[in-house]
Amino acid sequence: METLYGKTPEELAAVCAGEGMPRFAARQIARWLYRRHEERPEAMTDLAAAHRVRLAARFAPALSAPVRVDVSADGTRKYLFRTPEGDFIESAYIPDGERATLCVSSQAGCRMGCRFCATGRQGLSRSLTAAAILNQIVSLPERDRPTNVVFMGMGEPLDNLDEVLRALSVLTSEWGFGWSPTRITVSTAGVLPALPRFLAETKVHLAVSLHNPFGDERAEIMPVERAWPVADVAALLRRYDFTRQRRVSFEYILLSGMNDSPRHVRELCRLLNGIRCRINIIRFHKIPGSPYFSPPEEQIVRFRDALTARGIQTTIRASRGEDIRAACGLLSTEQRGE
């Protein structure tokens, strides 16, 4: 069955027209869905009783509470959700003083196949609907606490572009949650055909998973490089203005002896020349059976300082939730059989 949650006002207007309801009822339904987070038609008391009955018969519930929570020693919480189709996905809630980040998934699994990522190892089961993406926000006990949301969980967001755009529209529109786009960052491994539309239709921040500036070396750990070279991604981004509120950043997992040398620093600077950006260095979190290792802390700091000295704003991301496998690259539900 269809769900009401996740639909835009235009889609809700089409529903109303099909059910013989007045057009303004679409706005009423949107207020119930996205301001009150009430998706049961029978509870939408400003709709006619007969319309509520018909909507309840036609549309299924979309929102459901997480089925499990794991709590890290550092306060990070990893939530397990079950989708209506029976797949499992994970999200991570990361409190940090007055700030809190919620990391959400856009797919159950992922087909990008990045060698350093646990999600990539399990393959793709299905893409999530906008409702399933939003459910990871509105069904949490901490629903009202996140100061920012990052689409950096399971899946490749631009491989599920239509549903991700629909979810972003709900989050940032006046008729939806009304959030500022600056509260949201969407990560991509570099799905080049989807990037122009994403940049044109949203104002949220963009993060590109880079991890190696040399195409041949990147292809060994990120198969996406063979389809859409990161040099082409950089060339596209160079045409956009990131000098105002919207930011672009590049994610860079350091792998000892593979992408942490001075020549990688030099090539990063060449590749990103002309793009106003930052680089986020991420420590590699060990995956069972993986041949990769994180460099020593002093090497990570040297790599950051070398990039900073060449004029690229570079930060080292704090590792959070590693003890519950909620840190970057560790989300996976491959073993779930419940």
Side-chain angles (χ1 to χ4, degrees):
M1 290 178 69
E2 282 186 276
T3 65
L4 283 173
Y5 210 95
K7 291 187 181 298
T8 65
E10 292 76 18
E11 292 167 331
L12 292 173
V15 168
C16 291
E19 295 293 338
M21 302 169 63
R23 186 174 178 85
F24 65 79
R27 287 277 177 173
Q28 293 174 303
I29 296 172
R31 281 196 297 271
W32 283 103
L33 294 174
Y34 307 127
R35 294 299 174 89
R36 303 181 185 181
H37 303 297
E38 175 58 74
E39 64 170 341
R40 296 172 301 154
E42 58 268 30
M44 299 178 183
T45 52
D46 52 0
L47 302 181
H51 295 152
R52 281 180 265 159
V53 171
R54 286 204 295 272
L55 290 175
R58 176 178 169 185
F59 293 98
L63 305 182
S64 61
V67 298
R68 174 174 170 172
V69 58
D70 295 302
V71 183
S72 167
D74 63 26
T76 297
R77 291 174 174 261
K78 183 174 72 171
Y79 287 100
L80 179 72
F81 291 90
R82 185 168 188 163
T83 71
E85 298 81 11
D87 297 293
F88 289 95
I89 57 172
E90 292 181 327
S91 309
Y93 172 77
I94 309 164
D96 184 16
E98 295 183 355
R99 295 172 54 82
T101 298
L102 181 60
C103 179
V104 300
S105 296
S106 57
Q107 296 179 311
C110 184
R111 70 184 181 111
M112 295 297 109
C114 298
R115 309 291 187 234
F116 47 79
C117 178
T119 311
R121 282 190 171 191
Q122 76 177 71
L124 177 66
S125 296
R126 73 180 67 248
S127 291
L128 301 183
T129 64
I133 294 170
L134 294 167
N135 183 58
Q136 297 167 73
I137 302 171
V138 299
S139 294
L140 289 188
E142 302 89 353
R143 180 177 72 195
D144 299 322
R145 297 181 189 174
T147 54
N148 59 304
V149 170
V150 295
F151 284 65
M152 296 181 181
M154 300 173 65
E156 163 56 60
L158 299 196
D159 192 36
N160 186 22
L161 184 60
D162 287 341
E163 295 301 315
V164 167
L165 289 177
R166 186 175 282 108
L168 291 173
S169 183
V170 172
L171 289 170
T172 61
S173 296
E174 170 273 330
W175 50 261
F177 289 22
W179 287 6
S180 167
T182 60
R183 293 177 60 181
I184 304 170
T185 300
V186 173
S187 176
T188 178
V191 181
L192 191 61
L195 264 175
R197 183 181 169 203
F198 168 79
L199 291 167
E201 296 186 20
T202 77
K203 296 181 180 179
V204 303
H205 299 315
L206 173 68
V208 178
S209 296
L210 177 52
H211 312 309
N212 201 306
F214 294 103
D216 56 341
E217 295 179 12
R218 187 173 187 257
E220 292 180 5
I221 58 173
M222 299 182 69
V224 69
E225 173 70 20
R226 300 188 182 98
W228 302 300
V230 72
D232 293 346
V233 174
L236 173 70
L237 296 178
R238 202 170 281 114
R239 303 202 300 263
Y240 287 81
D241 182 5
F242 293 103
T243 60
R244 295 184 175 88
Q245 286 190 317
R246 177 179 241 179
R247 295 194 309 264
V248 60
S249 59
F250 291 87
E251 311 293 293
Y252 200 89
I253 294 177
L254 275 182
L255 303 172
S256 183
M258 295 190 65
N259 63 357
D260 58 348
S261 71
R263 71 183 183 91
H264 290 95
V265 170
R266 292 191 296 270
E267 184 63 11
L268 277 169
C269 294
R270 190 200 65 78
L271 176 69
L272 303 181
N273 184 44
I275 304 174
R276 181 164 179 158
C277 63
R278 69 176 65 190
I279 293 178
N280 290 322
I281 294 175
I282 303 170
R283 296 171 179 85
F284 174 66
H285 302 108
K286 189 66 176 175
I287 301 169
S290 168
Y292 309 124
F293 296 90
S294 180
E297 187 67 19
E298 57 270 21
Q299 172 61 15
I300 296 175
V301 171
R302 279 198 300 270
F303 196 86
R304 178 202 63 190
D305 292 347
L307 287 166
T308 301
R310 288 173 173 261
I312 298 182
Q313 183 181 358
T314 306
T315 58
I316 301 172
R317 181 179 295 168
S319 292
R320 299 289 303 273
E322 187 172 6
D323 57 332
I324 57 169
R325 303 194 64 76
C328 291
L330 295 184
L331 296 184
S332 174
T333 56
E334 186 175 19
Q335 302 303 319
R336 290 285 169 189
E338 300 99 319

